[in-house]
Amino acid sequence: MLLTRLSLRNYRVYEDQLDLDLPPGLIGIYGPNGSGKSTLLEAILFALWGRARTAKEDVRTAGVGGDCVAEVTFEHEGHLYVVRRSLSGINLTAKASVHCDGQAMAEGVRDAGRYLHQVLGMDDAAFRASVFAEQKQLAAFSDRTPAQRRDLVLQLLGITPLDVARDAARKDAREVRQSHDRLRAMLPDLEELRVQAADAAAAAEAAGVVAETEEAAASTARGRMVAAEEAFGRLDRLRQEHDALMIEGRAARTQLDEAAAAVRLLEAEQEALAEAAAQLEELLPRSAGVSDAEARLELVAAVVNAERALSAVVIPPEPPTPDAAAVDEAQRALDAARGAAAGIVGQIDAVTAELARARTQAERSAHLSGAADCPLCGQALGDAFEQVQAHRAAEVDEAEARLTVLSASRATVERALTAARSELTARREEEARRQQARQRWDQAQTRRAAAEDSLAGALLALGDLAEAEWVDDLVGPAAGSAVGRRPTDRSEGGRAGADGQAGSDHSRAGLDRHVSRAPLLAALRADVEARRAAAAAVQRLQGRLERRATVAEQLERARDRTAEFEHRVMVLRDKLRSLGFDQGALASATRALAEAQAVDDRTARLARAARLAAERAIASAEGEARRLADGEAQHAQLAALADESRHLGRMAELLHAFRNTIVATVGPRLAVQAAELFGELTDREYDRLEVDPETYELQICDGGRVFGLDRFSGSEVDLANLALRVAISEHVRFQSGGTVGLLVLDEVFGPLDEDRKARMLQALERLKGRFRQVLVVTHDADIKEQLPHAVEVLKLPGRRATARLLDA
């Protein structure tokens, strides 16, 4: 078997399409830890056999929804095979196919596995044990205890399943033997079961005879009950007809009473309508003229309301005229005071600055002496320094005096400013009060004029209506003459009076007119209400009188229905008398039926009880018969269990013997193969490599003496372990009958130093004579320079990777 190509897409860390060509011979696969080197080897197993170390949910690249595809191309026995396996869709549906020389040979997961088993001559477990060797397996041959080492070798050789089968056979034999013992302890006596079955059959036969007797008595009672039911049925149907006639008669009587009551009601309504017609004749004259009366009421009410509004308006005395000139004068005084204050503040600031400068000059002159130079001209001061000091002191005194005078003036100016502000505020408040009073006076004058105009309009609308005859009819001649009084001059209200006295006189005059018109207003309101009530009554009576023709027609129909219902009641009475129903005969038939039903029920219960007892007896007999049959079957099963227990025990013994035979033959063969390979790897430097056939312990014979591996260097130990592992792979191929020719070594250089790495590389070169292709996985980048071919695995961002074949 020669791998020629490995293609991956969305397989674990290999998301992008990877097409990796693999040449024959020794190939190194290297890259940093965690980059995905071992994933390439796992992909081979996944593509061929569908095996993965994790669940299939973790096989597809994380975060990817596309198909996961792994494809392996290899040469074997002159043919080119392409094996493709994929996981598709959200459910990760597995698909597999195998092509040989371009022809489809197998489709589907199971068919592909069977076909590869046939081609390679081994299943997936044998393929893995034969091809794949890990560093931990090599080290285990020398580091583990004899028992652990033996278990590992037997597991790799595929002998462990024989141990499992032997142990399972022993367990099954033990369980069958225990079942045989339990069944033998629980088996009943067959003779006792036969006696119980015969007794139960006799009891069932006797119960059947009793049940037939009780069922015959029940049948006779049922016939009598049927005859009683027929007699009762005839009388009951007669009763039902009698009851139906009674119900129909009551209904007809009810309809007759309702028709008579309707006649009485309609006759009473007809009489009431005649009285309503008489009332209508009386109310028609009174209901006329409602709109005219309402118009007169509205005009008089408008006059009265206008007079009330005019009386409510009171004109206050005229206030003084506002004076804005005084406010302006106070504002000008305030502005002048502010200007004076600002000038004083400016002068104080200037004098304060001058005082500060003078004090600074004085402080500087205080440090001068006759021997010092003048700070201005640079000449010696001599006696003039005292004059300078006196001049500086005089400047300070003068500035302080001026500041004192200006401070006193500032206080005076600030008091004048405060007084000007207060005066302006007072004049503004006075002006605001005058304007508000003037505004209120003007508004009162406006309201007064509006009220007078409203009253004049109402009196004009009333016009000569107050002189009509209806006024005397409502309130009498004296009150009617007062209705027509109205002012002839608007000045009567006092609008021209400056002191408001004329306005008060006008209010009293308006009040007099209001009092004189009050009886007329009340009389008009009463007249309107009376006319409205009469009109409403007329409308109601007219509505009622519209039913006179309808009531007459309904009364005629009601009288016809009354006559019809009287005739129907007479006919039903005749039918009831001719029916001849006898309540006593029905009562006798009812009692006879109840007695027959009681007898039928009692005999039926007895028959059912007898039949139930017979069925129970039959069931008991059948149960005893089944117990007898089960007992006979259990006795037969006991013998079968004894035979099965013997057979399983014998099978376990044969499996154990077969397993021991294989183990006994494997040990010597492995020793010969490992010794031969060890000699090749070491150039026959040592006598031979010995492998214990029981514990598979490795020993090296050197100079005629046998030594343990702990006597030799790490390189010899590595080569001895490698020889045993390769011998195991060849033995697995021998047992399975396949010829793979492929060896995969995972991280065999991991813990080795430089010398041991060199020895291991030399050994791998010699293995090329036994294997067509050797794949070596390592994280040591230096190894690639010493191998004929190398595959570099590169880590990509986002936990992704890719790989490439480097040129030799």
Side-chain angles (χ1 to χ4, degrees):
M1 179 181 187
L2 175 64
L3 298 177
T4 60
R5 188 180 182 87
L6 175 63
S7 298
L8 301 176
R9 186 177 74 251
N10 296 331
Y11 182 83
R12 298 194 185 275
V13 297
Y14 296 96
E15 178 181 1
D16 297 333
Q17 180 70 34
L18 173 64
D19 295 315
L20 186 62
D21 293 327
L22 300 175
L26 183 60
I27 305 173
I29 302 175
Y30 77 96
N33 287 332
S35 60
K37 303 184 298 297
S38 298
T39 303
L40 290 176
L41 304 182
E42 293 176 8
I44 297 174
L45 286 176
F46 178 76
L48 293 175
W49 308 105
R51 299 299 181 185
R53 56 182 172 83
T54 61
K56 63 181 180 179
E57 289 79 4
D58 298 326
V59 173
R60 183 162 60 185
T61 304
V64 175
D67 292 351
C68 171
V69 180
E71 183 178 285
V72 170
T73 304
F74 64 91
E75 295 179 4
H76 185 67
E77 295 181 350
H79 298 283
L80 182 64
Y81 295 88
V82 179
V83 182
R84 180 184 178 90
R85 193 175 300 270
S86 63
L87 299 176
S88 305
I90 191 173
N91 295 324
L92 297 173
T93 303
K95 300 178 182 179
S97 63
V98 182
H99 289 72
C100 177
D101 296 332
Q103 300 294 323
M105 305 303 296
E107 190 74 28
V109 175
R110 293 185 179 180
D111 291 343
R114 295 191 187 101
Y115 182 75
L116 287 175
H117 192 174
Q118 178 182 355
V119 170
L120 298 177
M122 60 180 67
D123 57 8
D124 58 336
F127 181 84
R128 185 180 182 90
S130 172
V131 172
F132 285 82
E134 302 173 3
Q135 191 277 334
K136 60 182 180 180
Q137 294 176 351
L138 299 181
F141 294 141
S142 57
D143 295 343
R144 293 191 179 183
T145 63
Q148 294 174 339
R149 183 168 52 249
R150 178 185 178 87
D151 292 340
L152 175 61
V153 173
L154 294 180
Q155 180 181 1
L156 292 174
L157 292 173
I159 298 176
T160 302
L162 288 177
D163 294 337
V164 175
R166 178 200 59 197
D167 296 340
R170 288 175 177 175
K171 180 181 177 182
D172 292 343
R174 184 169 56 254
E175 291 177 352
V176 171
R177 187 165 52 252
Q178 292 173 353
S179 299
H180 173 271
D181 296 339
R182 287 194 301 270
L183 182 61
R184 184 174 58 187
M186 294 185 299
L187 285 179
D189 187 0
L190 286 179
E191 188 60 31
E192 183 178 354
L193 290 177
R194 293 188 181 97
V195 172
Q196 292 175 355
D199 293 342
E205 183 179 359
V209 173
V210 173
E212 291 175 357
T213 302
E214 295 295 339
E215 287 172 349
S219 177
T220 302
R222 175 55 58 89
R224 294 173 181 172
M225 186 191 70
V226 170
E229 285 178 345
E230 292 176 354
F232 173 77
R234 288 191 298 272
L235 292 175
D236 188 62
R237 286 190 293 274
L238 192 61
R239 176 193 62 76
Q240 293 175 3
E241 187 175 357
H242 176 269
D243 292 344
L245 289 174
M246 290 294 294
I247 292 172
E248 187 177 359
R250 293 190 188 97
R253 183 65 192 179
T254 300
Q255 291 174 342
L256 176 60
D257 295 340
E258 292 176 353
V263 169
R264 291 192 296 272
L265 289 175
L266 290 172
E267 290 175 348
E269 185 176 1
Q270 197 173 41
E271 294 176 359
L273 290 176
E275 295 177 359
Q279 291 179 2
L280 180 62
E281 293 297 329
E282 295 178 359
L283 292 175
L284 281 176
R286 183 63 177 163
S287 64
V290 175
S291 58
D292 295 339
E294 290 176 345
R296 291 193 295 268
L297 175 61
E298 184 177 356
L299 293 173
V300 174
V303 172
V304 172
N305 292 334
E307 289 177 346
R308 289 176 180 173
L310 180 61
S311 300
V313 177
V314 178
I315 303 299
E318 183 177 2
T321 304
D323 186 9
V327 177
D328 295 339
E329 182 181 355
Q331 182 65 48
R332 288 193 294 273
L334 177 60
D335 294 340
R338 286 175 176 170
I344 291 296
V345 171
Q347 294 178 14
I348 289 175
D349 293 340
V351 173
T352 300
E354 184 178 353
L355 176 61
R357 182 185 57 77
R359 286 174 176 171
T360 301
Q361 295 295 334
E363 289 177 358
R364 290 178 179 176
S365 64
H367 298 290
L368 297 177
S369 62
D373 295 334
C374 176
L376 298 178
C377 63
Q379 298 179 1
L381 289 175
D383 295 336
F385 83 92
E386 294 180 357
Q387 295 177 3
V388 173
Q389 290 179 346
H391 176 70
R392 299 304 182 193
E395 288 180 349
V396 171
D397 294 339
E398 181 183 359
E400 289 178 349
R402 289 174 61 193
L403 183 60
T404 302
V405 173
L406 289 173
S407 297
S409 299
R410 181 180 183 178
T412 302
V413 171
E414 287 180 351
R415 286 193 296 272
L417 180 60
T418 302
R421 288 196 185 99
S422 301
E423 180 65 20
L424 178 60
T425 302
R427 290 191 180 187
R428 284 178 175 173
E429 292 176 352
E430 178 62 25
E431 181 65 17
R433 287 193 295 272
R434 287 185 179 186
Q435 289 179 355
Q436 292 176 358
R438 192 69 183 182
Q439 186 178 7
R440 289 195 296 271
W441 186 80
D442 290 341
Q443 292 175 353
Q445 289 290 346
T446 302
R447 291 197 301 273
R448 179 74 181 193
E452 289 176 353
D453 292 343
S454 177
L455 176 59
L459 290 173
L460 183 62
L462 184 61
D464 296 333
L465 190 61
E467 305 300 334
E469 296 179 356
W470 58 267
V471 176
D472 295 336
D473 294 339
L474 289 175
V475 298
S481 62
V483 174
R485 287 187 58 192
R486 57 184 183 270
T488 59
D489 187 2
R490 181 173 293 180
S491 61
E492 183 182 337
R495 291 182 60 187
D499 57 356
Q501 183 62 33
S504 301
D505 295 341
H506 182 273
S507 299
R508 286 194 297 273
L511 181 60
D512 293 340
R513 286 194 301 274
H514 170 65
V515 173
S516 63
R517 292 190 180 95
L520 175 61
L521 184 62
L524 284 172
R525 287 176 176 167
D527 182 59
V528 169
E529 292 297 329
R531 291 179 183 274
R532 287 175 178 172
V538 167
Q539 188 175 5
R540 289 194 302 272
L541 291 173
Q542 288 176 345
R544 290 182 60 190
L545 289 175
E546 290 177 356
R547 277 185 45 81
R548 295 188 74 175
T550 303
V551 169
E553 183 180 354
Q554 290 178 351
L555 179 59
E556 185 65 24
R557 289 200 301 269
R559 286 171 177 167
D560 293 341
R561 285 199 305 272
T562 301
E564 178 184 352
F565 291 144
E566 286 178 350
H567 175 71
R568 185 177 179 184
V569 168
M570 295 299 297
V571 170
L572 290 174
R573 286 177 179 173
D574 294 340
K575 286 184 178 181
L576 194 61
R577 283 193 294 270
S578 63
L579 188 61
F581 171 68
D582 186 0
Q583 185 67 36
L586 179 61
S588 299
T590 302
R591 289 192 296 273
L593 176 60
E595 292 175 357
Q597 288 176 341
V599 173
D600 177 71
D601 183 64
R602 184 175 61 256
T603 55
R605 285 199 307 272
L606 292 175
R608 286 194 298 272
R611 176 53 60 189
L612 183 60
E615 291 176 354
R616 284 198 297 267
I618 293 173
S620 177
E622 292 175 351
E624 292 298 332
R626 284 194 298 273
R627 286 184 60 195
L628 176 60
D630 292 342
E632 293 174 346
Q634 289 173 356
H635 277 273
Q637 183 182 3
L638 183 63
L641 286 175
D643 293 340
E644 184 179 2
S645 176
R646 287 192 298 271
H647 293 160
L648 288 173
R650 181 57 179 165
M651 182 186 297
E653 293 175 359
L654 293 175
L655 286 173
H656 182 66
F658 178 63
R659 180 258 185 199
N660 291 339
T661 301
I662 292 178
V663 171
T665 59
V666 165
R669 187 177 292 113
L670 281 180
V672 172
Q673 292 174 338
E676 182 181 355
L677 181 58
F678 183 74
E680 294 179 7
L681 297 178
T682 60
D683 291 331
R684 309 296 176 179
E685 181 179 354
Y686 304 98
D687 296 344
R688 63 181 177 279
L689 176 69
E690 294 187 359
V691 180
D692 189 296
E694 292 296 329
T695 64
Y696 299 98
E697 181 183 3
L698 295 174
Q699 294 177 324
I700 297 177
C701 182
D702 185 16
R705 298 179 59 187
V706 178
F707 300 97
L709 293 182
D710 53 356
R711 181 179 182 274
F712 298 92
S713 64
S715 300
E716 281 74 8
V717 173
D718 295 336
L719 296 177
N721 290 332
L722 180 61
L724 179 58
R725 181 62 183 90
V726 173
I728 292 174
S729 297
E730 292 183 340
H731 188 76
V732 171
R733 288 195 297 275
F734 171 76
Q735 286 181 326
S736 62
T739 56
V740 176
L742 173 66
L743 181 63
V744 178
L745 301 176
D746 192 0
E747 291 294 351
V748 295
F749 296 102
L752 305 184
D753 54 22
E754 295 301 326
D755 181 62
R756 295 171 67 183
K757 288 180 182 179
R759 293 288 300 275
M760 182 60 72
L761 283 171
Q762 184 179 6
L764 294 179
E765 285 290 337
R766 293 177 176 177
L767 285 177
K768 290 193 298 182
R770 293 174 174 262
F771 298 93
R772 296 184 65 188
Q773 196 173 45
V774 179
L775 302 180
V776 181
V777 177
T778 179
H779 65 273
D780 190 349
D782 296 336
I783 299 298
K784 69 176 182 177
E785 304 296 338
Q786 306 177 47
L787 296 176
H789 307 287
V791 173
E792 181 182 14
V793 178
L794 304 174
K795 294 183 71 173
L796 300 178
R799 302 181 68 181
R800 299 293 189 265
T802 187
R804 61 181 180 178
L805 178 65
L806 301 180
D807 296 333

